[in-house]
Amino acid sequence: MAKKPATSAPALLPHEEPLPPRVDLYVAAAFLALGIAIIALAAQMPTFYERLQQIYTAPGLVPALHGAIIALLAVWLALRAVARGAFKPGPGGTKERREGYSNVRLGVAALLCLVYAGGMVSRMPFWLATTLFVFAFIVLFEWRERAPWAERAKPLAAAAAVAAGTAVGVMLVFERLFLVRLP
Amino acid sequence: MLESLGQFGGAFATLLSGTAVLNVFWAMLLGIVIGALPGLTATMGVALMTTLTFTMTHNQAIMVLICIYVGAIYGGSRSAILLNIPGTPASACSTLDGYPLARQGLAGRAMGISTSGSWLGTLFGTLCVATLTPILGEVALKFQSYEFFWIAVFGIVIAGTLSGGDALKGYIAGFLGLWIGTIGQEQYYNYPRFAFGSTDLSGGIGLLPALVGCFGMSEVLLAMRAPAAKAVSSAIDSVIPRIRDVLQYWRTILRSGAIGTFIGILPGIGEDVAAWSSYAAARRASKEREKFGKGSVEGLMSAETGESACVPGAIIPVLTLAIPGSAPAAVLMAAMFIHDINPGPMLMVNTPEFFYQIVAMLVIADMAKLFYGFFLVRPLLKILLVPRERLMPIVFVLCVIGAYAITSRVFDIYVMVFFGFVGLALRELKFPMPPLILGLVLGELLENNLTRGLVLSDGSIAPFFTRPVSGALAFITAATIVWSIPGAQEWVRGTLRRALGRASPSAP
């Protein structure tokens, strides 16, 4: 029913490409460990049998069931990965790079988001944290290394304007107009 | 009949009074823009805008969120047609014929087809909401804990099987979501599970922060990794839909509307599967099969009608069973709970007026969509070209606010960030997201009904299998799992072929 018809579909994006079976094997091992850990932790929970004289409401019962199913599915994933050649030597060479995709950009964006949400928000006024974050984000991603300083002035001013506009706009819309509390 | 019409009239009057019309127009505009911008999805839009609706009355809040949902699914086709990049996953199918039409200089006509298909699809789905919800609600009233337990399990399994990609990983994601839902104090003894002494974790994982993380932050990061989008052309022909296109393909519209609504009703699957399934069915039935993928009007019409009919379809199980039909519907359901509306079988008994209001909301949203379909073409082209370097930090700021605003806990911001990275990692490892979200949403329903059922039967699991409806649901769930195993599919097909061959020996 949900099969995509074989027409001239756009090329697969990096996150749509199939994973090597060996990676699936590692993923299966991680989920097996998680499933077993859930069962172990659930087994340590009290049953409260003395209160209602039955164990069906024990806090650990349902999580243990989920843990057991996760572990079973992980075993299934591991067996499938082995059947698909997880232990066979893989093709040599490095993976072909996709044009336009950049893990460096991903890493920088992740770091900026982490610093903003984990280190700046709630430790300084929200408007200041937001202005600094948006400004830093735009400047870092629009930075042109070889451009002369005179050419950089305009994008820097635009970044500052977007950053300040975002902070003011968010404060006005959320705090004043919709009465939402901000961090 | 007359009483129902009166109720609908009352619902329209309630919803269209005062500033409500203004709310409809800004929410629809925002929804279309969110959908059109690559990297922003309907789920993210509904999750972020839930924050804005806290102080509104419940019907105004839900109307705003429905407008965002309907608008975002429709808006996704704009970037699919003009950029060859689906604005939302649901509009990936529209790139197949929408972009070739735009390259032929028919971008306006493609958008007209998209507008008419989407409008008719939502209208068809809304008609199904109006007619099917009371019937299904009546049936759901007869369900007990055993049936609700199986509905929750079936939801996870069907979402894992059909939400795209690897079914096995879909099941793992679903049960991971169910387990995450058990973190924090449980209902019988208030025992803090998996809290490790943390007061914050004892309060549980908030659904909205987790959703904003999975669909907001992780999408911001993925958008920053992807290459920048470029528009195919800024010259657009007339966007007014042609009556001939609609009349010529009325069968396709009806078929796609029915498929989209049906897929919407199935738990957790969503608009992308609805669009692909409608497209595949239209291609099979078409007399112009060779045009599909090269700029087929029928192909684009089927995809747009299917995905838009799925939106009202996904709301039907929310209203009748408290089980979402798609990821954005899951957030919509969470918003209903925040606004003290209890969707589920008792909705039609306790607050029947809300059902009529939902139908009215869908009709109003559909009309607003038609209005913007005619008038929001050239301005949207400019918005589409906003560099993501300037857009994504603003989206992340909204993610932070969205996570914090519900309970004013800084901990929820950390939860959002954590789920942002979890969502990113799971996507990279090819785990589909809808089952995870469905697991988070259905965790409580599954646990409550499993424990209640076991208490009622004094520990016997027999009623879970011997009651007619729960037995049938158990069988369908097991069959769905077996069907997802490639070897099992081949075995069933071979057995059927052999059996049919024996039954009709005279066949050539």
Side-chain angles (χ1 to χ4, degrees):
Chain A
M1 181 163 54
K3 273 193 181 152
K4 297 173 186 181
T7 48
S8 55
L12 288 175
L13 297 170
H15 62 273
E16 292 168 343
E17 287 171 351
L19 276 181
R22 193 168 296 175
V23 177
D24 271 351
L25 191 64
Y26 298 145
V27 171
F31 274 104
L32 182 62
L34 176 71
I36 292 169
I38 292 169
I39 297 168
L41 288 167
Q44 291 168 18
M45 291 176 193
T47 59
F48 296 104
Y49 179 81
E50 66 286 357
R51 290 208 200 164
L52 296 177
Q53 302 299 310
Q54 38 90 357
I55 60 156
Y56 313 116
T57 53
L61 183 73
V62 174
L65 187 70
H66 296 330
I69 294 172
I70 289 171
L72 278 175
L73 291 171
V75 170
W76 181 1
L77 183 63
L79 291 174
R80 196 185 68 176
V82 171
R84 288 182 180 176
F87 290 124
K88 287 181 189 157
T94 51
K95 207 179 159 189
E96 195 187 331
R97 285 188 62 177
R98 299 291 299 237
E99 196 185 339
Y101 286 85
S102 163
N103 285 332
V104 176
R105 276 205 308 264
L106 173 75
V108 172
L111 189 69
L112 283 169
C113 291
L114 203 59
V115 169
Y116 171 65
M120 292 163 76
V121 171
S122 85
R123 287 187 173 83
M124 63 173 76
F126 186 71
W127 64 267
L128 181 62
T130 300
T131 308
L132 290 174
F133 166 69
V134 176
F135 180 74
F137 200 102
I138 296 173
V139 167
L140 268 174
F141 282 104
E142 290 190 348
W143 190 257
R144 284 181 294 160
E145 264 181 40
R146 290 180 188 167
W149 276 100
E151 278 182 28
R152 284 176 184 158
K154 203 175 159 190
L156 280 174
V162 173
T166 305
V168 172
V170 161
M171 302 286 277
L172 280 177
V173 172
F174 281 85
E175 218 165 37
R176 298 289 161 86
L177 193 63
F178 290 98
L179 308 173
V180 173
R181 195 179 292 177
L182 295 176
Chain B
M1 179 72 184
L2 279 176
E3 193 194 345
S4 294
L5 284 174
Q7 293 263 28
F8 279 124
F12 277 107
T14 310
L15 293 170
L16 289 175
S17 55
T19 54
V21 179
L22 188 69
N23 282 340
V24 168
F25 276 92
W26 74 253
M28 179 54 65
L29 178 62
L30 196 62
I32 294 173
V33 171
I34 286 171
L37 289 168
L40 309 187
T41 61
T43 314
M44 184 207 267
V46 180
L48 291 179
M49 286 308 119
T50 301
T51 317
L52 275 187
T53 63
F54 281 166
T55 52
M56 293 181 181
T57 58
H58 73 266
N59 48 24
Q60 288 300 319
I62 301 302
M63 189 163 76
V64 164
L65 297 179
I66 283 182
C67 284
I68 297 273
Y69 184 8
V70 170
I73 294 299
Y74 166 65
S77 64
R78 289 289 181 263
S79 44
I81 292 166
L82 294 170
L83 307 177
N84 199 26
I85 295 174
T88 61
S91 47
C93 192
S94 301
T95 57
L96 294 184
D97 290 299
Y99 187 67
L101 279 169
R103 290 193 66 173
Q104 291 162 24
L106 298 171
R109 188 177 177 206
M111 283 189 270
I113 295 160
S114 153
T115 301
S116 51
S118 178
W119 183 72
L120 289 166
T122 305
L123 208 61
F124 184 93
T126 306
L127 198 67
C128 293
V129 174
T131 50
L132 293 180
T133 305
I135 300 166
L136 288 177
E138 196 78 21
V139 174
L141 273 175
K142 293 178 183 134
F143 288 0
Q144 290 186 10
S145 296
Y146 313 105
E147 284 80 20
F148 275 107
F149 166 77
W150 278 117
I151 285 171
V153 177
F154 174 68
I156 299 293
V157 168
I158 196 85
T161 308
L162 294 182
S163 58
D166 191 334
L168 176 54
K169 289 185 176 176
Y171 304 152
I172 295 177
F175 280 94
L176 183 68
L178 286 174
W179 170 67
I180 292 167
T182 65
I183 295 173
Q185 289 183 333
E186 45 77 54
Q187 58 162 339
Y188 291 103
Y189 311 102
N190 292 332
Y191 180 80
R193 296 183 292 201
F194 309 107
F196 306 106
S198 159
T199 317
D200 285 321
L201 270 177
S202 296
I205 301 291
L207 180 62
L208 218 54
L211 285 170
V212 170
C214 282
F215 284 93
M217 183 178 162
S218 67
E219 278 168 20
V220 165
L221 298 178
L222 285 171
M224 290 313 298
R225 188 178 68 164
K230 290 188 183 98
V232 57
S233 145
S234 58
I236 293 171
D237 51 317
S238 172
V239 296
I240 306 296
R242 297 180 188 182
I243 301 290
R244 197 167 60 89
D245 285 342
V246 177
L247 294 179
Q248 190 180 351
Y249 299 115
W250 66 272
R251 277 195 192 90
T252 306
I253 292 169
L254 282 181
R255 188 194 313 111
S256 305
I259 292 172
T261 309
F262 174 72
I263 288 175
I265 294 172
L266 295 177
I269 297 171
E271 292 78 16
D272 49 345
V273 177
W276 284 110
S277 304
S278 306
Y279 186 84
R283 190 164 176 267
R284 270 197 301 272
S286 177
K287 289 173 189 158
E288 309 165 336
R289 208 172 296 174
E290 71 288 348
K291 286 187 185 169
F292 276 64
K294 295 169 189 157
S296 161
V297 170
E298 190 178 7
L300 182 61
M301 183 78 86
S302 65
E304 289 293 320
T305 309
E307 69 178 38
S308 295
C310 184
V311 174
I315 295 174
I316 295 174
V318 170
L319 298 177
T320 51
L321 297 165
I323 289 176
S326 67
V331 191
L332 189 70
M333 194 173 96
M336 286 182 187
F337 284 121
I338 289 169
H339 284 281
D340 286 332
I341 301 159
N342 287 315
M346 293 305 287
L347 183 104
M348 290 297 288
V349 178
N350 294 335
T351 48
E353 69 280 0
F354 184 69
F355 157 69
Y356 293 105
Q357 284 170 4
I358 286 279
V359 177
M361 286 171 199
L362 285 164
V363 173
I364 292 166
D366 206 27
M367 295 301 165
K369 177 169 76 180
L370 190 66
F371 171 81
Y372 281 121
F374 294 148
F375 298 107
L376 188 75
V377 176
R378 280 174 184 85
L380 199 64
L381 192 63
K382 289 195 174 69
I383 296 168
L384 279 179
L385 299 174
V386 172
R388 56 163 181 198
E389 289 80 6
R390 297 185 183 187
L391 186 71
M392 290 305 154
I394 301 172
V395 173
F396 187 70
V397 170
L398 296 179
C399 289
V400 169
I401 298 171
Y404 175 82
I406 303 156
T407 54
S408 299
R409 288 196 307 173
V410 175
F411 174 73
D412 283 336
I413 298 176
Y414 303 149
V415 168
M416 184 274 292
V417 172
F418 176 77
F419 275 91
F421 285 115
V422 167
L424 181 71
L426 289 178
R427 278 168 205 237
E428 288 298 294
L429 296 168
K430 321 298 176 208
F431 284 84
M433 285 290 103
L436 179 81
I437 297 309
L438 206 66
L440 277 166
V441 174
L442 296 182
E444 198 181 334
L445 181 88
L446 185 142
E447 177 165 13
N448 289 352
N449 287 291
L450 175 63
T451 51
R452 201 179 298 141
L454 285 172
V455 169
L456 286 172
S457 64
D458 200 21
S460 167
I461 59 165
F464 286 95
F465 298 96
T466 52
R467 288 169 59 88
V469 177
S470 56
L473 283 167
F475 175 77
I476 296 168
T477 305
T480 309
I481 295 171
V482 172
W483 190 250
S484 70
I485 304 168
Q489 281 182 29
E490 282 159 25
W491 181 80
V492 171
R493 281 203 190 101
T495 310
L496 279 174
R497 214 174 289 133
R498 281 193 296 277
L500 289 172
R502 270 200 296 272
S504 56
S506 57

